[in-house]
Amino acid sequence: MPPKPSSPPLTHFLCLPLATFASTAQLTASITRLAKDQAVLRSPSAPAPQTPDSRRSSITSSSDDGSAAHKSATFLPPKAIRPAGTLHLTLGVMRLRGKDNVEAAVQFLDGVNLGRMLKDAAAVAASTTSQEPSVSTAAETGGSDARAKEAAATADRSSSLHPVPGARETLATGSSPVDAAASPPQPLVLKLQGLHPMAAPHETSVLYAQPHDPTNRLFHFAKSLRDEFERAGFVLEEKRELKLHATIVNTIYAKEKKGRGKGGGRGRGGRNRREGQLKFDATELVERWKDEVWAEVKVERVAVCEMGAKEDEEGKVRYVEVGAKKMPG
């Protein structure tokens, strides 16, 4: 039986960039401190630090057959730590073929009413958070709490890009429809906190910071935006729930691969490039960094970016934005 043809590579992704003029310095400082953590290996031959509260963390490499082969290196390779300029919240991934398709996606973004989406998200949050757990937190962390899922389903059913004029503004702000329509939405300000494993902490390859939004608008806003791009055919549909996270560590960048640029990135193979990915025990890192606030970020724009981060003229690693739209507020 002939092998199943592989899917075309991913080319772009829709995201909320987190490295802004105001946040980059704080993100860089936090990431620099992480790189100096005792669990981070700074050279292949460096001896593991021996301290009472630390233990050696073996790195393994998962092969295609599911087996794990132990590597000689221990602790977290520094190349796995992502540069500040690459941090973002992914909303969806894309396969855009040709210049015309890319331009169409950018034009679609330009036509999206982000202000309306933010106000809708505020109304949905106001109608659910007073009685239910935070929908955004439950969704972002993959929580299985039944009440949170029910609240998320209710929010999805009630969310619309074209609500009855004034109804949601009145609910969200308590003001009249005329006043609410005239006032700009409140800026979306997030706090990136903690260090969370994407898998079991003792055997993971990705660590991320979780975005916290005190207004509980983030998840509703992000999901509405992703859904619009899915319906338009630009973002690929995914069965799993949207999980907003800012990747701080990904060991796929610690393994040399042919054809990879300096900055790394999802690459032309996109999310399919998982063979041989390194895994490590992040238990102590997660515990030590659980209260870390990486930065407070005012979300300034929505962007369509090329896969694969690149080094710019200033030597900073970031994703190339082929199009972006400024956030209101």
Side-chain angles (χ1 to χ4, degrees):
M1 186 180 220
K4 184 179 179 180
S6 58
S7 301
L10 303 173
T11 61
H12 298 76
F13 60 98
L14 180 70
C15 72
L16 303 178
L18 299 173
T20 66
F21 180 80
S23 69
T24 297
Q26 189 178 356
L27 287 171
T28 300
S30 297
I31 289 173
T32 299
R33 287 193 299 106
L34 176 63
K36 295 178 181 179
D37 190 282
Q38 62 183 357
V40 178
L41 178 68
R42 279 174 280 282
S43 71
S45 59
Q50 299 297 320
T51 59
D53 62 344
S54 69
R55 59 187 174 84
R56 297 176 64 86
S57 304
S58 63
I59 295 179
T60 62
S61 177
S62 298
S63 58
D64 292 335
D65 61 3
S67 62
H70 284 274
K71 298 292 185 179
S72 58
T74 56
F75 293 85
L76 174 64
K79 287 184 178 180
I81 301 174
R82 304 303 293 136
T86 66
L87 267 59
H88 63 275
L89 301 179
T90 300
L91 306 185
V93 294
M94 306 174 169
R95 289 192 179 102
L96 302 179
R97 292 302 172 198
K99 183 179 178 181
D100 291 345
N101 203 202
V102 174
E103 290 180 350
V106 172
Q107 289 177 1
F108 184 80
L109 172 60
D110 189 57
V112 172
N113 191 334
L114 299 179
R116 169 63 69 183
M117 284 187 172
L118 274 178
K119 290 185 177 181
D120 288 351
V124 175
S127 67
T128 58
T129 54
S130 61
Q131 298 180 350
E132 301 291 349
S134 170
V135 178
S136 59
T137 300
E140 289 160 16
T141 58
S144 58
D145 185 272
R147 293 179 66 210
K149 286 187 175 182
E150 182 179 352
T154 302
D156 293 343
R157 289 193 295 270
S158 61
S159 180
S160 169
L161 292 177
H162 305 289
V164 177
R168 288 188 174 175
E169 288 84 346
T170 302
L171 175 62
T173 65
S175 60
S176 68
V178 174
D179 293 339
S183 62
Q186 181 183 356
L188 193 58
V189 180
L190 313 176
K191 184 182 291 185
L192 301 178
Q193 190 168 350
L195 198 58
H196 307 271
M198 193 62 75
H202 67 278
E203 190 179 21
T204 189
S205 57
V206 175
L207 299 175
Y208 64 91
Q210 183 173 314
H212 291 270
D213 168 26
T215 68
N216 291 318
R217 294 174 298 162
L218 176 61
F219 178 74
H220 306 301
F221 171 76
K223 188 175 186 305
S224 293
L225 187 55
R226 184 190 71 171
D227 289 349
E228 280 298 286
F229 271 79
E230 280 187 358
R231 284 191 285 268
F234 293 114
V235 162
L236 301 181
E237 293 187 17
E238 293 195 41
K239 295 181 180 179
R240 57 186 175 182
E241 183 65 84
L242 176 63
K243 183 172 182 174
L244 298 171
H245 63 282
T247 300
I248 302 294
V249 171
N250 191 337
T251 62
I252 198 168
Y253 304 108
K255 183 176 180 179
E256 296 296 333
K257 275 186 173 288
K258 295 181 179 180
R260 181 191 297 272
K262 278 188 176 181
R266 288 182 173 82
R268 295 187 60 83
R271 293 185 177 180
N272 295 326
R273 296 199 321 173
R274 294 301 181 194
E275 60 275 7
Q277 184 157 0
L278 301 172
K279 294 185 178 181
F280 68 103
D281 187 344
T283 303
E284 291 185 7
L285 273 177
V286 169
E287 178 62 25
R288 280 199 296 273
W289 290 78
K290 64 181 180 181
D291 298 321
E292 174 73 11
V293 176
W294 300 86
E296 185 173 271
V297 182
K298 176 184 176 182
V299 179
E300 296 182 348
R301 63 194 185 281
V302 178
V304 175
C305 297
E306 293 180 354
M307 288 287 182
K310 298 178 177 64
E311 191 174 291
D312 63 17
E313 296 177 354
E314 299 178 353
K316 297 178 180 179
V317 178
R318 61 185 73 244
Y319 290 99
V320 176
E321 296 181 10
V322 298
K325 183 169 183 176
K326 185 179 179 180
M327 289 280 288

